[in-house]
Amino acid sequence: MFIRCSNLITRNPAALHGGVSVADLDGDGQDEIVVAGFAGPNRVLKWDGQALVDAADPALADERGKALAVLCADLDGDGREEAYVLNGGARRQPDRLFAGFGKRWVDLLSLPDSDLAPAAGPGRCAGVLDRSGTGRYGFLVAAEGEPLRLLELGRDGKLADVAEEAGLDAEGAVGCLLAAPLLGEQPDIFVGMEGGPNLLYRNLGDGTFEEVGEDWDLADPRQDSLAAARLDGDGLADLAVGNADGPLRLWQQRAGGSFAEVAPADVSLPAAVRTVIVADFDNDGFEEIFLHCHGEENRLFAWREDRWQEIDIGDAALPDGAATGAAVMDLDGDGQLELLLAHGDTEAQPLALFLAEPRGHHWLRVRPLTRAGAPARGAEVRLWAGGRVQGRAICGGSGHLCQMEPVAHFGLGHERKVEKVEVRWPDGTVAVVEGPKPCQTLVVRQPG
């Protein structure tokens, strides 16, 4: 499936890397790849037409930090995303929250008028959420030994932790966060736990949440959940959850209001999973499941003959990879996805870049934007073609430390006609595009 092309990264030293995110940090309409640096600078890799070059501003590079992840979202609703840097390590550096002012980046958490107390424990994972559908996002932050935080800008322009107000009372060892429409049309929050039951916060539609994980049979208390991704469930969202040295869980949502574990025995074999990615790498119209594993071969599963089956992963096996983060994106706009793998969990290793082998299939990419023009993370996109409906959620944070590209990528196989595309934003606004031409990136701005 995957062809190695790491030579396209112009400077690629061995390093202790953390998570990987995809965002348009410079506002030019082209996404960059943001790689967290745990024992060195954060990197912002930009495609210049021939290769990936490091374009990180010195402030964003933040060489003093020990970054586990960098998550992006439009905090203030101005159309440009901010970047939250989650730090870890025994001697914890304060987290950073960078806002761009022209070409200058300012850490909002270090300003003199910021009265938000820094987290004391090492960071664990993070995500982003537009809980009220306003286009102003909050940052979900989990740290060791502390309750879950949700940082938003208040009316006074100051950052505040509103997790308690929102009903988000998760405590303990949070392994992963996934904010996406799961039970309804607004973003819910799956909280994968290490050493305890998973949590599922259902969006009540008024900016608050209700925890229903046990009621929906997702608790799975004997596993240590480290990575999660949403699957297209033909109208009902499903979940793929990777556990630390445990089985892969494929949770299929049932119409009666519960999830059932449906992974075949040969798919659910224990693995040291660090990131789960769900994407249609071969553009055949059906998503694949990629597992980024630590110290053992990565794995790839595809829907074949009405069941999940392991398929040849190609060059991306990397059995000796000290896996941390991973992300998927289309660097050059050709409709063929690339995969970037970060390493550095136990030893310094270079980044690894792969191209999904072209199969000649058609595709359509949809980039929903907020009214202000920022990526609409948490929006849901559906596509009708060939007698089927495909669904995707725009990533607000996936797995342990990562954030995929803010684009809904659809493979079409040999189908040449798309009947329609529907985009639903977190506030319930809907836009429908009739008969878009395939093999393009469709930008859809929120009406109103």
Side-chain angles (χ1 to χ4, degrees):
M1 173 70 79
F2 293 107
I3 301 169
R4 186 160 189 155
C5 52
S6 301
N7 60 299
L8 296 178
I9 305 172
T10 54
R11 187 177 64 84
N12 191 16
L16 299 180
H17 303 108
V20 182
S21 298
V22 183
D24 179 13
L25 287 180
D26 59 10
D28 69 349
Q30 177 187 342
D31 290 328
E32 293 86 46
I33 305 171
V34 188
V35 183
F38 187 75
N42 302 318
R43 305 189 67 190
V44 179
L45 302 179
K46 190 172 185 66
W47 180 251
D48 69 356
Q50 295 183 324
L52 284 170
V53 297
D54 194 343
D57 178 270
L60 282 174
D62 193 24
E63 294 197 41
R64 296 177 302 162
K66 289 186 174 294
L68 297 174
V70 182
L71 277 292
C72 300
D74 188 1
L75 178 74
D76 53 5
D78 68 347
R80 184 175 181 180
E81 291 193 310
E82 282 68 43
Y84 191 98
V85 180
L86 179 74
N87 282 315
R91 295 186 176 181
R92 176 131 158 73
Q93 295 282 345
D95 291 346
R96 311 289 189 194
L97 178 52
F98 289 107
F101 297 90
K103 294 185 177 181
R104 185 169 65 98
W105 291 90
V106 175
D107 176 16
L108 301 182
L109 294 177
S110 67
L111 296 178
D113 62 347
S114 175
D115 53 10
L116 186 70
R124 294 191 64 87
C125 56
V128 306
L129 172 72
D130 180 4
R131 66 182 175 116
S132 301
T134 61
R136 294 164 63 97
Y137 286 77
F139 288 91
L140 286 161
V141 181
E144 187 75 46
E146 299 192 13
L148 185 66
R149 287 181 160 198
L150 176 57
L151 306 184
E152 294 181 353
L153 276 183
R155 294 182 178 178
D156 59 359
K158 291 186 177 182
L159 278 170
D161 178 9
V162 298
E164 183 176 355
E165 170 191 320
L168 302 175
D169 54 359
E171 294 190 44
V174 177
C176 60
L177 292 164
L178 174 64
L182 297 173
L183 306 181
E185 297 174 343
Q186 295 174 300
D188 307 295
I189 306 168
F190 174 78
V191 182
M193 301 294 290
E194 294 185 78
N198 299 324
L199 307 173
L200 178 62
Y201 288 97
R202 177 170 59 190
N203 194 321
L204 299 180
D206 59 0
T208 66
F209 296 82
E210 174 188 27
E211 204 287 303
V212 295
E214 188 172 354
D215 296 339
W216 284 73
D217 299 324
L218 284 175
D220 206 18
R222 296 184 180 180
Q223 300 300 326
D224 295 327
S225 299
L226 269 186
R230 197 188 100 144
L231 275 166
D232 174 17
D234 292 329
L236 293 175
D238 302 328
L239 283 169
V241 179
N243 295 292
D245 300 309
L248 173 68
R249 299 296 201 197
L250 297 183
W251 296 105
Q252 184 179 65
Q253 187 173 170
R254 296 186 170 177
S258 66
F259 285 84
E261 211 289 301
V262 298
D266 56 341
V267 171
S268 64
L269 294 173
V273 178
R274 295 297 180 266
T275 307
V276 176
I277 294 178
V278 173
D280 188 355
F281 290 105
D282 59 7
N283 285 339
D284 69 344
F286 296 89
E287 293 172 307
E288 287 79 50
I289 303 172
F290 173 83
L291 304 185
H292 192 204
C293 300
H294 174 65
E296 59 187 74
E297 286 195 2
N298 299 321
R299 304 179 70 191
L300 183 66
F301 304 100
W303 187 253
R304 301 282 191 271
E305 300 174 353
D306 294 326
R307 67 182 298 271
W308 288 104
Q309 301 180 32
E310 187 162 9
I311 63 172
D312 183 9
I313 199 170
D315 293 343
L318 300 185
D320 299 321
T324 53
V328 62
M329 73 297 295
D330 179 9
L331 289 174
D332 51 6
D334 66 352
Q336 200 67 50
L337 293 175
E338 285 83 28
L339 174 69
L340 185 90
L341 304 183
H343 304 97
D345 185 83
T346 53
E347 63 177 289
Q349 292 181 347
L351 301 169
L353 182 66
F354 302 90
L355 169 70
E357 182 182 355
R359 303 289 176 87
H361 292 151
H362 301 292
W363 50 274
L364 182 69
R365 291 167 56 79
V366 183
R367 182 186 290 270
L369 302 178
T370 65
R371 293 185 179 94
R377 300 188 186 271
E380 185 168 27
V381 184
R382 293 184 180 182
L383 175 145
W384 281 258
R388 295 179 55 234
V389 182
Q390 298 187 53
R392 305 284 187 270
I394 304 302
C395 183
S398 178
H400 187 48
L401 302 169
C402 302
Q403 192 177 43
M404 306 301 125
E405 62 174 351
V407 178
H409 179 92
F410 296 97
L412 299 173
H414 297 294
E415 187 64 42
R416 295 178 178 272
K417 181 180 179 182
V418 177
E419 297 168 26
K420 67 176 179 179
V421 166
E422 177 187 276
V423 181
R424 184 179 297 272
W425 283 264
D427 69 346
T429 303
V430 176
V432 177
V433 180
E434 300 283 354
K437 293 182 179 180
C439 300
Q440 65 161 320
T441 296
L442 188 65
V443 179
V444 184
R445 196 154 184 156
Q446 186 174 9

